[in-house]
């Protein structure tokens, strides 16, 4: 667990995001146990209260659940839930900033489309 | 359950080391006690640990005055500059002695930590290098298991790798057996994410005393082309500003204006920068 925390966002949000990424990648599989708050706090050198706050965000969203006396587990369907939410955010988080930057640089619509095609080619699709 | 300082003052000849200090350290929280050299951090800790007496005011530990509390020693452990063991004593014997003084001392764990840090327990305390003398003191502090732990410059002389180990062991200990921890350090960036609550002291007075998150939420930074930043900060409450050629960064208090002009980038205050600008401002105001 080696996160390089960015300075510009609260640490607990970054912990939550790292957890989501790990669920998405399958590193933390559904119905499997995630490391404890202590593990996160020690590995990331953060206050356990901060780690707990990050984990609790996913609990509130139903992505994690607590098994009494055992610890925290990934909910069934968590991965799909994250994918759906990120899909909803995709347009606002990626497309709109892309168009804004393109405008600043004077990149035209046709060029953007070309670049997307090139991206697919380079990515091996 | 808490340590409470009520109107504590202490004078050394010409110097007022602590000036009517009111602050409390609550149960099972990690505090950062930040201040420049000579601010009063060590004096404050020494008074709490009953190694120094306050001229005025009092310190209460769990509601009882520390000055007439023999048990204070069993509740508070201070890691300070001083080595409390004989120079000729070997590390192993000193650890055994600590286990004798502190009923909850975890000797096995202390020995395991010594191994982890590469501290030779057969060495005499007086012969340890600066770094290992610090490690020796840390190992005792991390295993005494008193409800209150005061760490005055705990990482002094430690290299980056050992500091990393220390922060991890401290969190491990805190998670397993929560206690109140007060850390004074100059390496603010390293403890910024560890400390739940920040106390800033200057010239014997408390300047700031609140949750770290709340402290950093008082403001934000903005950076971008100097002209755009100047436009933005006009009429706003400015903490500090700095320029690098045509690029300017400003720290402001309050909430950022929305929508933010396109050319400006928003950032979060970080503890070390906040501390430095606060010290600069104080110097400016007083001189």
């Amino acid at each position: 667990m080696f996160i390089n925390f960015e300075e510009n966002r609260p640490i607990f949000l970054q912990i939550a995001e790292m957890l989501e990424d790990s669920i998405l990648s399958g590193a933390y599989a559904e119905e499997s146990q995630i490391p404890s708050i202590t593990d996160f706090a020690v590995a990331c050198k953060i206050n356990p209260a901060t780690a707990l706050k990050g984990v609790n965000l996913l609990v509130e969203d139903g992505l994690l659940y607590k098994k009494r006396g055992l610890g925290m587990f990934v909910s069934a369907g968590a991965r799909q839930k994250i994918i759906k939410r990120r899909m909803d955010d995709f347009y606002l988080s990626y497309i709109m900033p892309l168009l804004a930057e393109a405008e600043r640089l004077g990149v035209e619509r046709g060029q953007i489309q070309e670049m997307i095609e090139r991206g697919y080619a380079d990515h091996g699709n | 359950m808490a340590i409470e300082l009520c109107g504590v003052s202490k004078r050394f000849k010409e110097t007022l080391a602590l000036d009517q200090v009111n602050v409390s350290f609550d149960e099972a929280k990690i505090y950062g006690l930040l201040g420049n050299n000579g601010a009063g951090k060590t004096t404050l800790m020494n008074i709490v640990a009953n190694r120094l007496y306050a001229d005025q005011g009092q310190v209460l530990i769990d509601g009882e005055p520390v000055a007439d509390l023999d048990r204070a020693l069993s509740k508070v452990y201070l890691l300070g500059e001083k080595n409390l063991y004989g120079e000729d004593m070997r590390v192993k014997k000193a650890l055994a002695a600590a286990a004798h003084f502190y009923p909850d001392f975890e000797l096995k764990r202390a020995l395991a930590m010594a191994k982890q840090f590469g501290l030779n327990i057969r060495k005499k305390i007086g012969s340890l290098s600066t770094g290992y003398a610090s490690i020796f003191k840390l190992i005792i502090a991390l295993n005494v298991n008193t409800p209150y732990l005061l760490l005055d410059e705990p990482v002094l002389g430690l290299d980056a790798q050992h500091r990393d180990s220390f922060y991890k062991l401290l969190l491990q200990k805190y998670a397993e057996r929560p206690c109140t921890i007060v850390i004074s350090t100059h390496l603010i960036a390293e403890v910024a994410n560890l400390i739940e609550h920040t106390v800033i002291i200057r010239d014997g007075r408390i300047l700031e005393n609140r949750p770290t998150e709340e402290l950093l939420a008082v403001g934000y930074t903005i950076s971008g082309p100097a002209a755009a930043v100047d436009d933005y900060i006009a009429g706003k409450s400015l903490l500090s500003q700095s320029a690098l050629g045509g690029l300017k960064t400003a720290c402001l208090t309050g909430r950022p204006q929305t929508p933010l002009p396109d050319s400006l980038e928003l950032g979060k205050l970080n503890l070390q920068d906040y501390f430095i600008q606060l010290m600069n401002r104080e110097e400016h105001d007083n001189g």
Side-chain angles (χ1 to χ4, degrees):
Chain A
M1 200 68 50
F2 299 101
I3 312 186
N4 281 317
F5 290 116
E6 301 164 40
E7 267 186 9
N8 289 341
R9 287 181 315 126
I11 303 290
F12 75 95
L13 285 181
Q14 298 184 55
I15 290 285
E17 207 162 275
M18 177 270 294
L19 279 166
E20 281 195 16
D21 286 344
S22 304
I23 293 172
L24 206 54
S25 74
Y28 299 150
E30 291 181 6
E31 296 298 353
S32 74
Q33 188 172 7
I34 65 162
S36 69
I37 298 295
T38 306
D39 293 335
F40 283 122
V42 171
C44 304
K45 287 185 278 174
I46 57 174
N47 192 290
T50 311
L52 181 65
K53 210 169 156 188
V55 168
N56 277 342
L57 280 183
L58 275 80
V59 174
E60 281 163 29
D61 288 348
L63 301 171
L64 296 175
Y65 67 98
K66 196 171 185 167
K67 272 193 197 170
R68 208 173 280 274
L70 284 176
M72 234 25 118
F73 286 73
V74 180
S75 308
R79 197 166 169 271
Q80 213 45 50
K81 234 181 191 166
I82 295 168
I83 291 175
K84 178 167 185 318
R85 195 171 50 200
R86 291 207 180 176
M87 283 287 283
D88 294 344
D89 291 341
F90 190 76
Y91 181 76
L92 280 179
S93 304
Y94 293 91
I95 303 300
M96 293 313 279
L98 177 116
L99 296 185
E101 177 73 356
E103 194 183 336
R104 279 194 287 267
L105 300 177
V107 181
E108 293 187 359
R109 180 191 291 225
Q111 287 173 284
I112 296 174
Q113 284 163 347
E114 257 170 49
M115 279 192 239
I116 288 174
E117 288 308 323
R118 195 171 88 212
Y120 273 117
D122 289 347
H123 199 255
N125 287 314
Chain B
M1 304 296 259
I3 293 178
E4 293 159 274
L5 283 85
C6 316
V8 170
S9 294
K10 178 75 186 176
R11 182 180 283 282
F12 297 108
K13 290 181 186 159
E14 307 293 292
T15 317
L16 191 55
L18 293 178
D19 185 6
Q20 301 278 331
V21 167
N22 293 300
V23 64
S24 73
F25 301 109
D26 298 339
E27 194 177 1
K29 271 193 191 165
I30 304 181
Y31 288 82
L33 179 62
L34 311 179
N36 288 336
N37 292 322
K41 305 182 298 279
T42 301
T43 305
L44 189 155
M45 288 191 172
N46 275 315
I47 287 175
V48 171
N50 217 12
R51 289 191 199 171
L52 276 178
Y53 297 109
D55 297 336
Q56 272 175 40
Q58 64 173 352
V59 178
L60 301 175
I61 293 180
D62 299 339
E64 294 182 79
V66 69
D68 45 64
L69 189 74
D70 285 340
R71 286 198 308 276
L73 255 181
S74 64
K75 286 194 179 181
V76 179
Y77 186 84
L78 167 64
L79 176 156
E81 203 188 331
K82 268 206 197 102
N83 163 35
L84 303 174
Y85 299 86
E87 300 272 296
D88 281 335
M89 196 184 255
R90 292 183 198 279
V91 171
K92 192 177 177 182
K93 200 169 168 212
L95 293 178
H100 183 74
F101 281 128
Y102 297 92
D104 289 332
F105 191 87
E106 289 179 84
L107 186 57
K108 243 174 102 181
R109 199 153 184 255
L111 291 169
M113 279 186 195
K115 205 168 176 188
Q116 186 181 338
F117 277 108
L119 170 65
N120 182 350
I121 57 169
R122 282 182 299 276
K123 270 200 159 179
K124 286 183 178 171
I125 291 164
S127 72
L128 297 173
S129 65
T130 314
Y132 275 105
S134 282
I135 288 169
F136 163 68
K137 288 190 288 186
L138 283 176
I139 289 174
I140 292 185
L142 288 173
N143 290 290
V144 287
N145 289 310
T146 52
Y148 301 100
L149 194 53
L150 309 175
L151 307 175
D152 191 10
E153 294 287 346
V155 296
L156 210 66
L158 257 56
D159 60 35
Q161 185 198 356
H162 284 152
R163 291 204 301 278
D164 184 81
S165 301
F166 162 65
Y167 297 129
K168 288 177 171 169
L169 288 169
L170 181 74
L171 284 164
Q172 187 90 44
K173 185 257 169 288
Y174 175 72
E176 282 166 13
R177 298 183 72 155
C179 62
T180 303
I181 301 172
V182 183
I183 306 175
S184 86
T185 182
H186 292 302
L187 300 177
I188 298 173
E190 291 189 0
V191 297
N193 295 334
L194 255 67
I195 58 182
E196 190 173 345
H197 199 104
T198 298
V199 176
I200 298 178
I201 184 170
R202 184 182 167 90
D203 296 336
R205 290 165 179 262
I206 305 288
L207 282 189
E208 289 282 5
N209 175 15
R210 39 179 160 172
T212 310
E213 209 175 294
E214 191 186 304
L215 187 76
L216 298 181
V218 301
Y220 58 98
T221 67
I222 212 91
S223 57
V229 171
D230 286 337
D231 270 354
Y232 180 87
I233 61 180
K236 292 195 176 65
S237 163
L238 189 67
L239 287 172
S240 67
Q241 51 181 325
S242 62
L244 187 61
L247 177 75
K248 194 163 187 172
T249 301
C251 295
L252 297 104
T253 55
R255 299 242 136 249
Q257 164 192 326
T258 49
L260 203 64
D262 253 0
S263 56
L264 296 182
E265 194 117 355
L266 183 67
K268 198 169 141 257
L269 284 184
N270 79 49
L271 191 59
Q272 178 152 307
D273 290 346
Y274 180 79
F275 176 82
I276 292 169
Q277 67 80 18
L278 184 67
M279 292 302 127
N280 287 341
R281 201 160 28 129
E282 287 288 318
E283 248 156 54
H284 188 257
D285 289 353
N286 298 333

